[in-house]
Amino acid sequence: MATTVSEFVIGRLREWGVRRVFAFPGDGIGEFDGMLGKAERAGEGLEYIRPTHEEICALMATAHAKFTGEVGVCVATSSPGGFHLINGLYDAKMDNQPVVAIVGQQGLNSFGTFNQQESKLEQTFADVAEYVQTIVSPEQAQAVIDTAFRTAIARKQPCVVILPHDVQGMEMAAPGAEMWVSRSSAVPPSTAIAPPPEQLRAAADIINAGERVTFLVGHGAVGAEQEVLAAARLTGAGLITTLRGKQVVPGDVPFHTQQLGLLGSRPSYDQMQDCDTLVLLGTNYPYGQFLPKTGQAKAVQVDLRPEQLGLRYPTDVSIWGDVKTTLTGLLPLLTQKDDLSWQEKTAAGMREWDDELAAQAEQHYDDGVNPRRVYHELNKRLPAGAIVTADAGTTADWYGQHIRLRDGMRGDLSGRLATMLAAMPYAEAAKFAYPDRTVVCTIGDGAFQMLGMNELITVKKYLSRWSNPNFVVLVLHNDDLTQVSWEMRTEDANPVWSTSQDVESVDYAGWARLLGFQGITVTSDDQIEAAWDAALAHGGVTVIDAHTSKNVPPLPPHITFEFAKNTGLALLKGDPDGIAAIKDSATSLITEGVERVKGALHRSTDEDDAH
């Protein structure tokens, strides 16, 4: 029986299925922390993971939710600690993840008196949290905790519980049957929302009538992998996954053309240009310029967030439901297509695209290692069940284009928020959730310098808890905020401004060795394969410090006039890397052109053989 509010909250977290919290201590949450220690000593506690910064706590909680489907929980102290959580909570908000943050606060009598670390936390968290509430009495604690978890699960959003320091130590009182007192339960709500039969029939009619059907599959379809594949095989559909939905469809499915957009594939672009039916499954894909022209395609969308239905493309049927339940009801209504030429064309286009990517990965650049080759060689070697994380820079480009997550593999990153440095806490959270799997974190040097380097200290602290200690960090070391440098050129026609873009060079492999880890420095293309072999065979932590070229362009599969014009103008305006960027871009474009010609010749030969 809990004797204090803190003890009750800890027990309630366990009732909600929580076994691990990502936390950082402080006096504002001190009584709660003390009870966490007491529960741990009694064998009734929670695994307490303390990284080097509260922002990491929130990003870890978000990643835990993404990789496990459970509610992620983070804990921080009042004011400064709570403020540091906000970026990670926005990551949960914008990627629709259930996270509960427990934040300390100064005592009740301090409210509104300008006391030290007393701030209006409810106002602070009002935008990021779907539900935010301060517990002001023991009788209220049960309802607030339960409401936060129910809301996080049902709405797939972060929620915040504020726990004043004096309330934390108050004697717990069970809520009674009285006015203004709620008695609640720690029972999760069902999210298996099924649409009405008439909506399923309307969706099936549209899909069955389509001759060129494309499924755009997002992270909201996690858990519905088999249903998605069954529907695609029935309808002859091509499959495109969003960057966060990459793990939903195995990378070796022939008609899975991977991603769409600036870091996507040409077969995905071609599908969107030519499809007559678009089915969006669990995605709020934000780049409308890559979707079909208005009126080109009939559209069906399935999503658990009803406010996002029909938002990116005009839909003919908008289904509020979860993807697995909806597809389970839809599959019996879909008819088997005899003509699979659309799907076969999609698969052929993907084979050509993979050949082109392989050729791009083999290119040599004078100013550093080819980053494409680094990812290309990693992809060849990913062990079964591996988990790969990427950051918000060019790592996302190369991850999207070169990594193929086979069945059972996982991968993720900060999606709509696209915050830097998330790759490292994501990788750590994945390792805590799946300690028997190999985890590979891919991160740029700019993001690694933010907080990623610090987190190697956290890895050192908890390494002994992982049954398989194989944990690899790939740092793209090019002394530049490369993604932003290219965005300056391609979006704004501005030359790179070294003052803002340069990153101080650091010996990242040396830093790893200082902590007792394996550090491997890669300065030439011919060292890449051996580096990955050594890292993936190592029974511990490895940092690969890959000195990559910053001028390899993350070329989109379809180069628009605006893209080309802005890049050219930027280079003409005195870009400090102008000559190298022009040379490396030309190399990439020539390779792309050669592979396109090869593909065209191959298609022509196939057609002649058919005749």
Side-chain angles (χ1 to χ4, degrees), residues 243-263:
L243 197 58
R244 292 205 54 243
K246 193 177 184 75
Q247 62 188 340
V248 177
V249 180
D252 52 5
V253 171
F255 47 89
H256 173 198
T257 60
Q258 296 292 315
Q259 282 67 72
L260 176 69
L262 291 175
L263 43 68

Side-chain angles (χ1 to χ4, degrees), residues 47-59:
E47 185 180 17
Y48 185 96
I49 305 300
R50 199 211 77 192
T52 60
H53 195 280
E54 291 94 348
E55 182 176 353
I56 301 294
C57 295
L59 288 167

Side-chain angles (χ1 to χ4, degrees), residues 82-362:
F83 299 155
H84 284 158
L85 294 177
I86 289 175
N87 191 51
L89 294 180
Y90 268 108
D91 190 35
K93 177 185 178 70
M94 297 177 76
D95 279 350
N96 302 316
Q97 296 302 311
V99 170
V100 172
I102 298 175
V103 182
Q105 174 63 292
Q106 300 306 296
L108 293 173
N109 289 338
S110 73
F111 287 13
T113 66
F114 313 105
N115 218 311
Q116 185 182 32
Q117 293 194 347
E118 180 271 324
S119 56
K120 293 180 173 59
L121 290 177
E122 288 194 10
Q123 292 184 26
T124 300
F125 290 107
D127 182 64
V128 71
E130 188 77 9
Y131 173 81
V132 53
Q133 187 60 55
T134 302
I135 296 177
V136 297
S137 73
E139 291 83 0
Q140 183 202 16
Q142 182 186 91
V144 171
I145 293 293
D146 291 344
T147 302
F149 274 85
R150 273 196 303 271
T151 304
I153 293 168
R155 299 293 299 157
K156 293 191 176 297
Q157 290 285 280
C159 297
V160 176
V161 175
I162 300 166
L163 199 52
H165 191 275
D166 49 356
V167 176
Q168 295 167 30
M170 288 181 181
E171 184 178 349
M172 186 57 193
E178 304 161 8
M179 185 66 173
W180 302 335
V181 176
S182 293
R183 292 168 288 168
S184 62
S185 59
V187 177
S190 171
T191 56
I193 299 175
E198 58 269 22
Q199 270 202 316
L200 288 174
R201 170 51 64 188
D205 288 345
I206 288 174
I207 298 170
N208 287 333
E211 296 181 357
R212 301 181 303 279
V213 181
T214 290
F215 290 1
L216 179 56
V217 184
H219 190 271
V222 167
E225 293 88 345
Q226 295 308 311
E227 290 78 9
V228 169
L229 285 172
R233 291 188 172 113
L234 277 172
T235 60
L239 290 170
I240 301 172
T241 51
T242 66
L243 197 58
R244 292 205 54 243
K246 193 177 184 75
Q247 62 188 340
V248 177
V249 180
D252 52 5
V253 171
F255 47 89
H256 173 198
T257 60
Q258 296 292 315
Q259 282 67 72
L260 176 69
L262 291 175
L263 43 68
S265 72
R266 190 179 305 111
S268 292
Y269 176 83
D270 291 343
Q271 280 199 70
M272 284 299 172
Q273 293 299 300
D274 298 334
C275 70
D276 63 12
T277 307
L278 176 63
V279 182
L280 299 108
L281 299 172
T283 177
N284 181 31
Y285 181 77
Y287 305 106
Q289 69 269 35
F290 296 105
L291 296 178
K293 299 177 183 69
T294 301
Q296 170 190 322
K298 291 284 190 179
V300 175
Q301 185 174 3
V302 181
D303 208 289
L304 265 178
R305 298 296 303 274
E307 66 273 21
Q308 295 178 358
L309 291 168
L311 181 63
R312 302 301 180 197
Y313 188 81
T315 50
D316 298 275
V317 178
S318 296
I319 295 177
W320 180 17
D322 78 286
V323 174
K324 185 179 180 69
T325 303
T326 300
L327 287 181
T328 298
L330 186 63
L331 280 169
L333 305 177
L334 298 177
T335 56
Q336 177 66 63
K337 275 194 172 55
D338 296 323
D339 181 4
L340 299 179
S341 57
W342 169 253
Q343 196 174 74
E344 291 164 356
K345 178 183 177 183
T346 296
M350 194 59 189
R351 288 193 295 271
E352 290 179 13
W353 177 252
D354 279 340
D355 288 343
E356 184 174 316
L357 289 179
Q360 292 274 10
E362 290 300 318

Side-chain angles (χ1 to χ4, degrees), residues 519-533:
I520 301 175
T521 302
V522 174
T523 56
S524 64
D525 291 335
D526 58 10
Q527 296 173 331
I528 295 172
E529 296 183 36
W532 280 123
D533 290 340

Side-chain angles (χ1 to χ4, degrees), residues 214-528:
T214 290
F215 290 1
L216 179 56
V217 184
H219 190 271
V222 167
E225 293 88 345
Q226 295 308 311
E227 290 78 9
V228 169
L229 285 172
R233 291 188 172 113
L234 277 172
T235 60
L239 290 170
I240 301 172
T241 51
T242 66
L243 197 58
R244 292 205 54 243
K246 193 177 184 75
Q247 62 188 340
V248 177
V249 180
D252 52 5
V253 171
F255 47 89
H256 173 198
T257 60
Q258 296 292 315
Q259 282 67 72
L260 176 69
L262 291 175
L263 43 68
S265 72
R266 190 179 305 111
S268 292
Y269 176 83
D270 291 343
Q271 280 199 70
M272 284 299 172
Q273 293 299 300
D274 298 334
C275 70
D276 63 12
T277 307
L278 176 63
V279 182
L280 299 108
L281 299 172
T283 177
N284 181 31
Y285 181 77
Y287 305 106
Q289 69 269 35
F290 296 105
L291 296 178
K293 299 177 183 69
T294 301
Q296 170 190 322
K298 291 284 190 179
V300 175
Q301 185 174 3
V302 181
D303 208 289
L304 265 178
R305 298 296 303 274
E307 66 273 21
Q308 295 178 358
L309 291 168
L311 181 63
R312 302 301 180 197
Y313 188 81
T315 50
D316 298 275
V317 178
S318 296
I319 295 177
W320 180 17
D322 78 286
V323 174
K324 185 179 180 69
T325 303
T326 300
L327 287 181
T328 298
L330 186 63
L331 280 169
L333 305 177
L334 298 177
T335 56
Q336 177 66 63
K337 275 194 172 55
D338 296 323
D339 181 4
L340 299 179
S341 57
W342 169 253
Q343 196 174 74
E344 291 164 356
K345 178 183 177 183
T346 296
M350 194 59 189
R351 288 193 295 271
E352 290 179 13
W353 177 252
D354 279 340
D355 288 343
E356 184 174 316
L357 289 179
Q360 292 274 10
E362 290 300 318
Q363 291 304 307
H364 173 73
Y365 299 96
D366 294 336
D367 56 335
V369 170
N370 184 347
R372 288 182 176 275
R373 185 168 177 182
V374 176
Y375 280 76
H376 190 71
E377 294 299 335
L378 166 62
N379 185 62
K380 293 179 184 178
R381 293 164 169 76
L382 282 174
I387 302 173
V388 184
T389 67
D391 217 76
T394 53
T395 61
D397 297 309
W398 315 135
Y399 165 81
Q401 292 196 1
H402 290 274
I403 297 300
R404 303 287 185 262
L405 298 173
R406 297 182 293 281
D407 192 26
M409 294 181 182
R410 307 293 299 274
D412 220 324
L413 75 171
S414 174
R416 196 155 62 93
L417 181 62
T419 182
M420 288 178 67
L421 76 83
M424 191 66 180
Y426 271 44
E428 292 171 282
K431 193 67 174 177
F432 282 115
Y434 303 100
D436 58 330
R437 298 198 191 189
T438 292
V439 174
V440 180
C441 166
T442 72
I443 190 167
D445 49 3
F448 196 55
Q449 285 189 14
M450 280 184 163
L451 288 171
M453 293 179 70
N454 289 358
E455 280 310 293
L456 283 180
I457 301 171
T458 305
V459 170
K460 181 179 177 67
K461 179 179 179 181
Y462 293 104
L463 184 61
S464 62
R465 299 192 185 186
W466 300 335
S467 55
N468 170 13
N470 190 225
F471 185 92
V472 185
V473 181
L474 165 67
V475 182
L476 297 190
H477 183 169
N478 54 28
D479 303 330
D480 182 66
L481 299 176
T482 314
Q483 187 81 349
V484 179
S485 293
W486 279 103
E487 287 167 348
M488 292 176 85
R489 296 172 179 132
T490 62
E491 294 181 11
D492 303 311
N494 284 322
V496 168
W497 185 34
S498 299
T499 302
S500 71
Q501 298 306 109
D502 286 355
V503 175
E504 183 67 21
S505 188
V506 172
D507 181 2
Y508 303 110
W511 170 236
R513 289 190 289 269
L514 184 65
L515 292 170
F517 302 146
Q518 178 173 241
I520 301 175
T521 302
V522 174
T523 56
S524 64
D525 291 335
D526 58 10
Q527 296 173 331
I528 295 172

